[in-house]
Amino acid sequence: MSETPHHHGYIHAKDDYLKRLRRIEGQARGLQRMVEEEQYCIDILTQVSAMTKALQSVALGLLDEHMNHCVVDAARAGGHEADAKLKEASDAIARLVRS
Amino acid sequence: MSETPHHHGYIHAKDDYLKRLRRIEGQARGLQRMVEEEQYCIDILTQVSAMTKALQSVALGLLDEHMNHCVVDAARAGGHEADAKLKEASDAIARLVRS
Amino acid sequence: MSETPHHHGYIHAKDDYLKRLRRIEGQARGLQRMVEEEQYCIDILTQVSAMTKALQSVALGLLDEHMNHCVVDAARAGGHEADAKLKEASDAIARLVRS
Amino acid sequence: MSETPHHHGYIHAKDDYLKRLRRIEGQARGLQRMVEEEQYCIDILTQVSAMTKALQSVALGLLDEHMNHCVVDAARAGGHEADAKLKEASDAIARLVRS
């Protein structure tokens, strides 16, 4: 954790994100059942691809909100803080692109 | 589902996959808590990247087992069945590469 | 083209990018020779992966410079222009993550 | 190189691959011009995404041909050679998925 977990208040569509993450949790449970029952491998892989896409979409949405709030605020404040926030956002983007 | 869910018996390290998928399910729950508490966005994105990598690694392992069993069996049997299995595996690989 | 091609002046390490892109162009020519000579497929795929990584790295560097200049300037100016620039950057990030 | 460069003869649509790779080489040259002229960053990134997708598509096509020839032949031959070819294909797939 790079900050203490106080409320950052930047997530506008919080309920929407929670709903999508609960669905992703359900997909993870579904995958366990499929592996448990040794269902057909290609069907399992199709589920993994769908789950990966759902996760990516959550990540891109959160990154969007982050840039619209934290990064914009930091850019306006300027100085070292702005540079640090931009570097942090760039690193997060690079991790997403490479994962 | 492209086949009825009888046991395909191709998953050798089943317990290992189940353990990894339970951990991924836990990561999905952890993400919900982070969003609920509006933790720092970059920390949430770091978790999403870790979870995506864990999922990819499960997918690559399952694909490996699939190719070593179903695809090899089909290749030996030959004919239309072999072509169909290879096409199916190629499509699954393309979905993984593009997701 | 979303803007007329006047000089935006935001690329600091221009010579470095040009050098990396010339190397990528060379990799594309090398791949043609490998296919022409029908070299071993796995070796060709290894080259494609290396080239994809090199391209990704150029993209992440350029995105970084863009965010440090255009996005920061727009954020300071504020208003509709800031929103539009951020939307545009988000869309470019999504295309990179999904490609 | 994992084999001496004799003709493997597995690439059926050779001219098609060469044409696609020449287009990719042209995209690499186009990117140099865009950077040289310092064109708008987002337009450059859009080109990089298009080029990455084109490369991925070449890779998936070549992998397909490889699996339909080398892997199937090895699977039929069986033994250590089959295992080695499958391991090699799996590693190439993992590199593509992760790049």
Side-chain angles (χ1 to χ4, degrees):
Chain A
M1 300 296 150
S2 51
E3 297 202 0
T4 53
H6 66 277
H7 284 221
H8 289 265
Y10 67 94
I11 305 180
H12 277 175
K14 197 163 151 175
D15 287 344
D16 177 52
Y17 284 110
L18 288 174
K19 211 166 77 181
R20 287 155 76 183
L21 286 168
R22 270 194 299 271
R23 205 179 308 135
I24 287 168
E25 186 196 336
Q27 287 176 301
R29 260 196 306 275
L31 281 171
Q32 288 166 63
R33 197 181 47 245
M34 291 178 95
V35 167
E36 185 62 72
E37 296 174 356
E38 300 203 26
Q39 285 186 22
Y40 190 51
C41 176
I42 298 293
D43 295 328
I44 303 181
L45 293 179
T46 301
Q47 273 298 97
V48 172
S49 293
M51 192 174 154
T52 305
K53 272 185 195 300
L55 255 179
Q56 248 180 16
S57 165
V58 164
L60 289 170
L62 288 170
L63 180 65
D64 221 34
E65 299 219 29
H66 177 71
M67 281 175 44
N68 278 288
H69 296 91
C70 306
V71 173
V72 165
D73 289 352
R76 281 175 192 152
H80 173 70
E81 178 70 4
D83 294 344
K85 286 287 177 203
L86 278 164
K87 177 79 180 66
E88 203 182 51
S90 288
D91 290 348
I93 293 165
R95 277 193 300 271
L96 287 178
V97 169
R98 287 179 175 136
S99 73
Chain B
M1 301 297 150
S2 51
E3 297 202 1
T4 53
H6 67 275
H7 283 222
H8 289 267
Y10 67 93
I11 306 181
H12 277 175
K14 198 162 149 175
D15 287 345
D16 177 52
Y17 284 111
L18 288 173
K19 211 166 80 181
R20 287 155 77 184
L21 286 168
R22 271 194 298 271
R23 205 179 307 134
I24 288 168
E25 186 195 337
Q27 287 176 302
R29 261 196 306 274
L31 281 171
Q32 288 167 62
R33 197 180 50 246
M34 291 178 95
V35 167
E36 185 63 71
E37 296 173 356
E38 299 204 24
Q39 285 186 23
Y40 190 52
C41 176
I42 298 294
D43 294 329
I44 302 181
L45 292 179
T46 300
Q47 274 298 97
V48 172
S49 292
M51 192 173 154
T52 304
K53 272 185 195 301
L55 255 179
Q56 249 180 16
S57 165
V58 164
L60 289 170
L62 288 170
L63 180 65
D64 222 32
E65 300 220 29
H66 177 70
M67 280 175 44
N68 278 286
H69 297 88
C70 307
V71 173
V72 165
D73 289 350
R76 281 176 193 154
H80 173 69
E81 178 69 5
D83 293 344
K85 286 288 177 202
L86 279 164
K87 178 77 181 67
E88 204 182 51
S90 288
D91 290 348
I93 293 165
R95 280 194 299 270
L96 286 178
V97 169
R98 289 181 173 133
S99 75
Chain C
M1 299 295 148
S2 51
E3 297 202 1
T4 52
H6 67 275
H7 283 221
H8 289 266
Y10 67 93
I11 305 180
H12 277 175
K14 198 164 149 174
D15 287 344
D16 178 52
Y17 285 111
L18 288 174
K19 210 165 80 183
R20 287 155 75 183
L21 286 168
R22 270 194 299 269
R23 204 179 308 136
I24 288 168
E25 186 196 335
Q27 287 176 301
R29 260 196 306 273
L31 280 171
Q32 288 167 61
R33 198 180 47 245
M34 292 178 94
V35 167
E36 184 63 70
E37 297 174 355
E38 299 205 26
Q39 285 186 23
Y40 190 51
C41 176
I42 298 294
D43 295 329
I44 302 181
L45 293 179
T46 301
Q47 274 298 97
V48 172
S49 293
M51 192 173 155
T52 304
K53 272 186 195 300
L55 255 179
Q56 250 181 14
S57 165
V58 164
L60 290 169
L62 288 170
L63 180 65
D64 221 33
E65 299 218 32
H66 178 71
M67 281 176 44
N68 278 288
H69 296 90
C70 307
V71 173
V72 165
D73 289 351
R76 280 175 193 153
H80 173 68
E81 177 71 3
D83 294 344
K85 287 286 179 203
L86 279 163
K87 178 78 180 67
E88 203 182 51
S90 288
D91 290 348
I93 293 165
R95 278 193 300 270
L96 287 178
V97 169
R98 288 179 175 137
S99 73
Chain D
M1 301 295 147
S2 51
E3 299 202 1
T4 53
H6 66 277
H7 284 223
H8 289 268
Y10 67 92
I11 305 181
H12 277 174
K14 198 163 149 175
D15 286 344
D16 178 52
Y17 284 111
L18 288 174
K19 210 166 81 181
R20 288 155 77 184
L21 286 168
R22 271 193 298 271
R23 205 181 306 134
I24 288 167
E25 186 195 337
Q27 287 175 302
R29 261 196 306 273
L31 281 171
Q32 288 167 61
R33 197 180 50 244
M34 292 178 95
V35 167
E36 184 63 70
E37 296 174 355
E38 300 205 26
Q39 285 186 23
Y40 190 52
C41 176
I42 298 294
D43 294 329
I44 301 180
L45 293 179
T46 301
Q47 274 297 97
V48 172
S49 292
M51 192 173 154
T52 304
K53 271 185 195 302
L55 254 179
Q56 249 180 15
S57 165
V58 165
L60 290 169
L62 288 171
L63 180 65
D64 221 33
E65 299 220 31
H66 178 71
M67 280 175 46
N68 278 287
H69 296 90
C70 307
V71 173
V72 165
D73 289 351
R76 282 176 193 153
H80 174 68
E81 177 70 4
D83 293 345
K85 287 287 177 201
L86 279 164
K87 177 80 180 66
E88 204 182 50
S90 288
D91 290 350
I93 293 166
R95 279 193 300 270
L96 287 178
V97 170
R98 287 180 175 135
S99 73

